[in-house]
Amino acid sequence: DLDFEEFLNRNVALHDAAAKGHMSIVRMLVDAKAQVNVCNEAGLTPAAAASSAGHAHVAAFLSQHARAPPPQPSRGSAPDACS
């Protein structure tokens, strides 16, 4: 399961690969339709995890492949992807 979450921090494989700067693995996971906008326990997407670890090239790649969040009900402002 590409989007299996680790128990303690809710990271998926894409979080781990992105945070470690493994571009080839990130590409493979994205090509296999892994969720790009998924959030971990800290509220980070894989792109944010890559960015905070100093892997701007991985963060940019993931940002280009991020899918728009589903439409939200019109009650006030829509929450961001990780709220």
Side-chain angles (χ1 to χ4, degrees), residues 2 4-5 12-13 19 24 26-27 31-32 36 39 44 47 51 75 80:
L2 291 174
F4 176 78
E5 294 179 351
V12 296
S24 61
V26 168
R27 284 182 196 272
D31 289 346
V36 177
C39 299
L44 298 176
S51 181
R75 293 184 195 162
D80 66 33

Side-chain angles (χ1 to χ4, degrees), residues 2-3 12-40 44-69 81:
L2 291 174
D3 297 315
V12 296
L14 194 52
H15 279 104
D16 293 335
K20 293 174 182 167
H22 296 304
M23 181 59 103
S24 61
I25 296 171
V26 168
R27 284 182 196 272
M28 179 193 66
L29 290 167
V30 170
D31 289 346
K33 308 293 186 219
Q35 291 185 43
V36 177
N37 294 343
V38 66
C39 299
N40 66 9
L44 298 176
T45 62
S51 181
S52 68
H55 303 294
H57 64 294
V58 175
F61 174 81
L62 288 169
S63 294
Q64 291 173 348
H65 289 84
R67 295 154 184 85

